Amino acid sequence: MPAVPPAAPDAVLVVDFGAQYAQLIARRVREARVYSEIVPSTMPVAEMLAKNPKAIILSGGPSSVYAEGAPTLDREIFEAGVPVFGMCYGFQLMATTLGGAVDDNGAREYGRTPLSVSKAGSTLFEGTPVEQSVWMSHGDACSAAPEGFTVTASTDVVPVAAFENDEKKLYGVQYHPEVMHSTHGQQVLEHFLYRGAGIEPDWTTHNVVEEQIAAIQAQVGTKRAICGLSGGVDSAVAAALVQKAIGDQLTCVYVDHGLMRKGETEQVEKDFVAATGVQLKVVDAQERFLNALAGVSDPEEKRKIIGREFIRVFEQAQVEIVAEAGAEGEDVAFLVQGTLYPDVVESGGGTGTANIKSHHNVGGLPDDIEFELVEPLRQLFKDEVRMVGQELGLPEEIVQRQPFPGPGLGIRIVGEVTKERLDLLRDADAIAREELTAAGLDRDIWQCPVVLLADVRSVGVQGDGRTYGHPIVLRPVSSEDAMTADWTRMPYDVLAKISTRITNEVADVNRVVLDVTSKPPGTIEWE
């Protein structure tokens, strides 16, 4: 999945019409071992075709095809000989563009819907049941397929819920095959890729590593790079990948900014260096970060401060690394970061999406950065990053770690960040992680942020006396890629043990609460 250059040839393009599931479609294509990229619907068709795509998928979207200003595409996309698969809005756009009929006839369907397959042996539905459950989300409905298309499925209220044109390799379904609620959706998607588009499923983790190594070598050349290690999966895999590509030209810098979890520094110094053999420079910058964050409570401001200070520390590390090596300053020209695709999307760097938050690896960097960024994971999802880490031989303790944000515990303290509050949160977080591991839940829970409501106090009773302490929030979530998430239904006895230990062992905490909000509407992190 090359990040340099950002676009790979012969990809399956997912055209995003503002769908909440566009990223999920790209993931599902990749799960079928076919490389995919997301492009905005505003991209001219000529530019899409210039990428030499193996196929094109048109996503769903919130608009009606008849609404003023609704996104559209030139007819050329359906006449270029490239296989096209329309989903939901993309299906209706294909229908209307090619002469079919889409009506606002009140045939609205939302959620699980029974689908009847009328041509069981078709390209899309071969080997799937005649009756199956699919996930619908539409107001308008297709009442007539374009000329040359065969209707292959319907519902009780929609006469044309799927159509196919094998001669022109054009296919469409009214529902969302990419979501797990469509029981045979992945099979239908793979039928389009393998049978309709004739694509071989040969995109593997091994290929990803080889392609990225070549891309990194082409970008960096004979110059040198530094990489900031955070202790998390993303930076570790990015560093290991760059180390494999350029060897001793890479120096890793671990900034001990005082915002890490308990035992984090020791793990980076011991486990990661042992696994990769990288050159590691540890910088003690705790006082610097605490001074910069003093009096700051706004989460966006905290993120930007942490991002700015990281770069300043890296710049100083560059000077020291050059001095130690006896090289010229300009030789250290690159900064390696573990930016992932969800980071890019949530920072407003995807396909026109809103900026949800400034990310330490994306939106929090200062404008006067002196390094050129190397981001080998920029187009990957978290589970793909873990697979790359395994391919590179990183130990399970690193590859399977729960995600941890770049700004660290600084954004898990709601309020001002102080050393006392960090120590308190570190102790509570360590207890939660210990108990989750002891209960064997590490693989069942995607992430469990532990949050300190520093500016909130609640009344409690401890030791027969009244207390006025801080609440701690547990935020266990399940997810595939952090784009969406649901709160994890943890066993009550595990929750009880965590709560009891935290209130007993962590000073100034007298209450533990559970966050049961999904994403959306809430983000995984509180700040």
Side-chain angles (χ1 to χ4, degrees):
M1 305 171 188
V4 184
D10 299 327
V12 170
L13 298 184
V14 178
V15 181
D16 184 5
F17 290 98
Q20 61 176 319
Y21 296 130
Q23 292 81 26
L24 185 55
I25 297 171
R27 278 183 46 80
R28 296 298 184 234
V29 174
R30 296 180 186 195
E31 287 171 7
R33 302 194 308 281
V34 175
Y35 178 68
S36 64
E37 291 181 1
I38 300 173
V39 297
S41 61
T42 53
M43 176 181 286
V45 168
E47 289 186 24
M48 295 182 193
L49 297 177
K51 292 175 173 285
N52 299 315
K54 292 182 177 179
I56 295 173
I57 296 176
L58 309 180
S59 82
S63 302
S64 164
V65 289
Y66 295 122
E68 183 178 353
T72 186
L73 286 176
D74 291 340
R75 186 185 179 99
E76 178 189 3
I77 200 168
F78 304 114
E79 299 174 341
V82 178
V84 181
F85 186 22
M87 302 176 178
C88 195
Y89 182 85
F91 166 74
Q92 295 181 0
L93 185 60
M94 183 187 295
T96 56
T97 302
L98 297 178
V102 173
D103 309 303
D104 182 6
N105 59 5
R108 291 169 173 77
E109 293 175 313
Y110 298 99
R112 295 181 191 272
T113 305
L115 181 80
S116 297
V117 177
S118 54
K119 191 175 180 182
S122 74
T123 296
L124 295 182
F125 294 106
E126 171 74 29
T128 68
V130 172
E131 300 293 332
Q132 51 189 274
S133 178
V134 299
W135 189 260
M136 290 283 194
S137 181
H138 68 92
D140 298 342
C142 183
S143 57
E147 184 177 351
F149 283 72
T150 300
V151 177
T152 54
S154 61
T155 71
D156 290 342
V157 298
V158 176
V160 184
F163 54 46
E164 305 180 26
N165 186 327
D166 287 316
E167 180 183 354
K168 295 185 177 181
K169 299 186 181 301
L170 302 177
Y171 305 87
V173 295
Q174 176 61 71
Y175 60 94
H176 290 276
E178 71 274 20
V179 303
M180 62 181 180
H181 305 297
S182 294
T183 52
H184 297 277
Q186 184 67 13
Q187 191 173 355
V188 168
L189 176 59
E190 291 178 3
H191 281 171
F192 165 70
L193 297 170
Y194 305 156
R195 305 176 71 205
I199 301 172
E200 293 292 330
D202 56 8
W203 190 72
T204 65
T205 304
H206 180 71
N207 291 341
V208 172
V209 172
E210 288 188 334
E211 291 170 357
Q212 277 299 329
I213 287 174
I216 293 164
Q217 290 170 339
Q219 182 185 12
V220 177
T222 60
K223 293 186 177 181
R224 304 178 66 198
I226 59 176
C227 176
L229 285 178
S230 68
V233 178
D234 307 335
S235 65
V237 174
L241 195 50
V242 175
Q243 165 75 9
K244 194 170 182 67
I246 63 173
D248 291 343
Q249 292 168 241
L250 173 70
T251 300
C252 288
V253 178
Y254 174 77
V255 179
D256 186 1
H257 51 23
L259 307 176
M260 306 306 289
R261 294 172 289 192
K262 184 174 287 188
E264 206 95 51
T265 300
E266 293 79 2
Q267 185 184 51
V268 171
E269 290 185 285
K270 175 185 173 185
D271 297 341
F272 185 75
V273 173
T276 62
V278 299
Q279 302 178 66
L280 179 65
K281 181 180 182 65
V282 178
V283 180
D284 185 352
Q286 295 185 51
E287 186 175 350
R288 174 179 185 148
F289 277 79
L290 283 174
N291 289 339
L293 290 167
V296 178
S297 297
D298 179 75
E300 277 294 287
E301 186 64 21
K302 284 195 286 187
R303 284 178 178 271
K304 291 182 184 297
I305 288 172
I306 294 168
R308 181 195 70 211
E309 293 303 314
F310 255 102
I311 295 302
R312 299 290 89 95
V313 170
F314 281 131
E315 289 172 340
Q316 180 59 38
Q318 176 197 22
V319 174
E320 296 173 3
I321 290 167
V322 170
E324 292 166 3
E328 295 185 6
E330 60 265 28
D331 284 345
V332 182
F334 296 92
L335 171 62
V336 180
Q337 292 202 127
T339 308
L340 303 192
Y341 191 70
D343 302 337
V344 176
V345 173
E346 292 197 341
S347 299
T351 57
T353 54
N355 187 344
I356 298 172
K357 60 185 178 184
S358 292
H359 193 275
H360 165 59
N361 288 341
V362 185
L365 297 180
D367 294 332
D368 59 345
I369 180 173
E370 296 182 1
F371 301 104
E372 182 178 336
L373 296 181
V374 179
E375 299 177 304
L377 312 179
R378 187 179 177 88
Q379 294 182 349
L380 304 186
F381 293 94
K382 178 71 75 171
D383 57 332
E384 295 169 333
V385 171
R386 294 191 197 280
M387 289 189 287
V388 169
Q390 291 169 336
E391 178 75 18
L392 293 169
L394 292 179
E396 288 290 295
E397 303 83 66
I398 292 177
V399 174
Q400 296 301 332
R401 293 198 70 190
Q402 287 189 4
F404 188 62
L409 298 179
I411 59 167
R412 291 184 177 175
I413 295 175
V414 179
E416 182 185 3
V417 178
T418 66
K419 184 179 185 306
E420 293 72 25
R421 290 174 173 182
L422 284 166
D423 290 341
L424 185 157
L425 181 54
R426 251 188 291 271
D427 289 341
D429 175 82
I431 290 170
R433 287 189 289 134
E434 287 171 12
E435 293 303 328
L436 291 176
T437 299
L441 295 174
D442 286 340
R443 294 293 186 93
D444 298 327
I445 295 176
W446 166 271
Q447 191 177 1
C448 186
V450 178
V451 181
L452 171 64
L453 303 184
D455 291 340
V456 176
R457 286 184 178 269
S458 65
V459 175
V461 177
Q462 292 171 299
D464 295 326
R466 175 189 172 97
T467 61
Y468 199 50
H470 295 291
I472 286 285
V473 180
L474 302 180
R475 174 69 164 139
V477 296
S478 300
S479 179
E480 289 186 343
D481 51 36
M483 296 303 299
T484 60
D486 194 13
W487 66 281
T488 304
R489 278 66 169 170
M490 288 172 53
Y492 289 156
D493 59 334
V494 176
L495 288 170
K497 193 167 186 179
I498 293 173
S499 176
T500 299
R501 283 196 59 193
I502 289 177
T503 53
N504 283 349
E505 299 174 30
V506 181
D508 211 24
V509 173
N510 63 2
R511 191 179 300 272
V512 175
V513 299
L514 179 66
D515 183 346
V516 295
T517 312
S518 63
K519 175 188 178 181
T523 55
I524 292 177
E525 298 290 346
W526 272 50
E527 292 200 338

